[in-house]
Amino acid sequence: MNKIAESSSVYLFAFIGSVVLMLCLGIWVARRNRTGEDFLLAGRRLSIPFVTGSALATLVGTGSSLGAVSLSYTNGWAGALYGLGGAAGIFLLLWLFADVREHGFMTFPEEMSYYYGANRIIKGAVAVVLFLATVGWLGAHILGGALYLSFLTGMNMALAKVVVAVGFGLYTVIGGYWAVVVTDMVQGTILFLGFSAIAVLALVKAGGFDSMNEKAPAEATSFLGVETLGTIPAISMAVVIAVGVLATPSHRQRIYSADSTRTARRSFAIVGVLFAAFAITPPIVGLSAQALSPGMDNPDLAFPTLATEVFPVWVGALLLVSGLSATMSSGDSEAITGVTIFLRDVSKMVTGKMPQAHNMVFYSRIALVAVLVFALGGALLAETIIEYITTMIATVLTGLLIAALLGKFWNRATWQGGLGAIIGGAAAATTVNLSESLTEYWGNPVIPSLVVALVVGVLVSLVTPRRKISAAEALRLLAAERSEIDVGTQLRASDGTPSCHTAPEPGHTAPGQGRR
């Protein structure tokens, strides 16, 4: 720890420098924010480099840095399941849901409402669930960044959480989604270079693959760590990460803000390939840390311990900037997504009206501060990362994914069935979490949760009345509602060229129509 204390000023300077750089970028792009659509969706003008860079930076976040390395430290090559599951989720997302870009949705609750005839009940329920889930994700990223900062600088853990939240909160509040996208591209580049450099250095220091594997328990070096986790828990780990990608609203935000469906598909295909390749990095770092610093009390600190105790100060500084880039690039996306859901859906449900269009940027910034404070409160109570993430996904997002799949691909699905799937999935996950024997068998509750959600969703749909509102009418109703805040009133066709306006309600002229 003496080495850490002597180097803490270097690490703190590196952190401040990275935050100042992101803040400058946020100020630079803030001039683009003229409307709520600009602030929350980057004007729906994101091209392939922007969608790819920001989505990849968000994926390679807290879970795949601190969480996956921690998992690899204790379970060896099982850490690759995080990357492989995430890549599978991305490929499924582009295959199943990338086409929703054509409808001009602003939020996932709005998309869910469309599947069920613009039903307000399911939109409100999903909005509340996803808002709380997004805040939870944001809390996990704050926790991850604070672990880096506290360990490397000696800063009090509670203070570190506040500093991290304020750090990425500043440029997000100033620049909105444009700042998120631009800073994510920078952070993603730093992240990939930094993690790759640390992995190579760690592998060399550990003596290569043969030496690294020899020093690890035999079961940890098995294929994907199946012998140490168990076959079913290993499958559950990959599935829960894939579900997280498929049902996390921040990834949907990339689809909605892309300039076309084609851009969304191509960008996610690139991201899937890159993230699958990245999957090998956490196991290399985790196993190297286990070989060089065995018996660590807190595996979540395996990555920072490796750099600070084994490598020179400059490597530790690179680690700090890379690690914080991982957490901040994920945290800012969750923050802006939470605000979008709050302003588009939650506020409508509570007040019965949409925010005024000319005040959307101001409202967005106020709501963003509130969301950050809310998430920080949760992060101050949390201690671990990977369990926090997997538990939340299995409890909140599995039923939501099933509801989305039923609503989009099964005409007989009803809003009651969708709501039943969400509740059934959460109940199944809670039941497994409360049972030690079931938790030991499954690893995490994602598989039982998916099965129960599917069964409940189908059965409830079959005993409730069919949807009466057509898909076209549902789109018209949602577009009319959305036009009140000047978002999504003009869509772009899948080839990137402007298409016709989405019609508002009769007698209501959508503000901003025909501007672009």
Side-chain angles (χ1 to χ4, degrees):
M1 297 297 293
N2 289 333
K3 182 178 178 181
I4 298 175
E6 293 173 358
S7 307
S8 61
S9 59
V10 176
Y11 300 141
L12 188 59
F13 178 78
F15 168 71
I16 293 174
S18 63
V19 171
V20 169
L21 174 61
M22 298 305 110
L23 184 58
C24 290
L25 288 173
I27 295 172
W28 177 61
V29 301
R31 68 186 189 280
R32 293 173 176 259
N33 296 320
R34 296 182 176 87
T35 68
E37 185 180 52
D38 292 331
F39 192 90
L40 298 174
L41 291 170
R44 300 183 189 267
R45 297 192 297 270
L46 298 186
S47 58
I48 289 177
F50 286 104
V51 177
T52 301
S54 59
L56 188 61
T58 299
L59 264 181
V60 186
T62 306
S64 51
S65 56
L66 281 173
V69 170
S70 172
L71 181 67
S72 300
Y73 184 89
T74 54
N75 298 286
W77 289 97
L81 292 169
Y82 201 106
L84 295 176
I90 283 291
F91 286 126
L92 287 171
L93 184 62
L94 74 88
W95 178 43
L96 296 172
F97 294 107
D99 60 338
V100 300
R101 169 62 185 86
E102 298 170 1
H103 301 316
F105 298 132
M106 183 180 178
T107 63
F108 196 5
E110 185 183 9
E111 178 187 334
M112 285 290 295
S113 177
Y114 163 65
Y115 297 145
Y116 293 95
N119 183 269
R120 293 184 178 183
I121 296 176
I122 198 162
K123 181 158 76 73
V126 171
V128 172
V129 168
L130 281 184
F131 177 71
L132 295 176
T134 299
V135 172
W137 277 108
L138 179 55
H141 300 313
I142 292 173
L143 173 60
L147 281 171
Y148 278 113
L149 190 60
S150 177
F151 184 85
L152 292 173
T153 66
M155 186 180 295
N156 174 272
M157 187 62 182
L159 177 60
K161 293 175 182 178
V162 174
V163 170
V164 169
V166 172
F168 69 77
L170 281 174
Y171 67 77
T172 308
V173 168
I174 292 172
Y177 201 52
W178 271 118
V180 169
V181 171
V182 173
T183 56
D184 277 3
M185 291 186 67
V186 175
Q187 291 168 331
T189 301
I190 295 173
L191 184 58
F192 251 78
L193 295 177
F195 268 63
S196 300
I198 294 291
V200 171
L201 290 170
L203 184 61
V204 172
K205 193 73 175 180
F209 281 105
D210 291 339
S211 177
M212 180 184 71
N213 288 330
E214 287 175 4
K215 296 177 182 178
E219 59 272 16
T221 62
S222 61
F223 178 70
L224 295 178
V226 170
E227 292 184 14
T228 181
L229 281 184
T231 301
I232 293 179
I235 294 173
S236 294
M237 174 61 69
V239 171
V240 77
I241 301 305
V243 168
V245 172
L246 280 163
T248 298
S250 61
H251 294 303
R252 285 298 211 287
Q253 196 97 339
R254 296 315 191 300
I255 296 176
Y256 306 147
S257 58
D259 60 19
S260 67
T261 300
R262 181 185 301 174
T263 291
R265 290 187 186 279
R266 291 181 176 180
S267 300
F268 279 22
I270 296 171
V271 170
V273 171
L274 292 176
F275 196 57
F278 181 83
I280 194 175
T281 304
I284 291 176
V285 176
L287 284 169
S288 297
Q290 204 277 339
L292 297 169
S293 300
M296 199 176 298
D297 293 332
N298 185 0
D300 276 348
L301 297 176
F303 202 11
T305 298
L306 181 67
T308 54
E309 295 189 359
V310 177
F311 297 120
V313 173
W314 71 268
V315 178
L318 177 63
L319 164 79
L320 174 63
V321 174
S322 300
L324 286 171
S325 292
T327 58
M328 292 169 71
S329 62
S330 299
D332 56 16
S333 297
E334 300 298 341
I336 204 75
T337 301
V339 168
T340 308
I341 292 172
F342 180 81
L343 292 176
R344 168 65 181 89
D345 303 306
V346 177
S347 64
K348 173 71 173 179
M349 180 183 66
V350 174
T351 66
K353 57 184 180 180
M354 304 288 278
Q356 295 178 345
H358 64 276
N359 285 327
M360 274 298 293
V361 174
F362 173 74
Y363 289 151
S364 298
R365 286 177 172 145
I366 296 298
L368 189 50
V369 172
V371 166
L372 286 166
V373 171
F374 191 14
L376 177 60
L380 290 171
L381 301 175
E383 295 181 359
T384 60
I385 295 174
I386 199 70
E387 293 181 5
Y388 181 77
I389 291 175
T390 56
T391 299
M392 186 177 65
I393 291 174
T395 304
V396 175
L397 299 184
T398 48
L400 181 64
L401 174 60
I402 293 298
L405 290 170
L406 289 176
K408 184 173 184 183
F409 297 105
W410 187 38
N411 290 332
R412 186 62 182 84
T414 65
W415 71 264
Q416 296 95 331
L419 199 59
I422 294 171
I423 296 172
T430 302
T431 301
V432 173
N433 283 329
L434 293 176
S435 170
E436 291 185 9
S437 59
L438 289 176
T439 300
E440 182 179 356
Y441 178 79
W442 290 105
N444 67 69
V446 65
I447 294 177
S449 181
L450 286 169
V451 172
V452 171
L454 179 60
V455 171
V456 173
V458 170
L459 291 179
V460 174
S461 292
L462 290 175
V463 299
T464 49
R466 292 176 178 270
R467 282 175 276 175
K468 296 181 179 180
I469 297 179
S470 68
E473 177 64 9
L475 277 179
R476 189 193 70 79
L477 291 172
L478 292 170
E481 184 179 85
R482 192 169 58 242
S483 68
E484 296 178 29
I485 53 176
D486 196 20
V487 175
T489 55
Q490 182 175 2
L491 307 184
R492 297 174 188 271
S494 59
D495 62 355
T497 59
S499 68
C500 62
H501 298 294
T502 302
E505 292 178 341
H508 180 90
T509 302
Q513 226 174 14
R515 289 180 303 144
R516 285 192 295 269

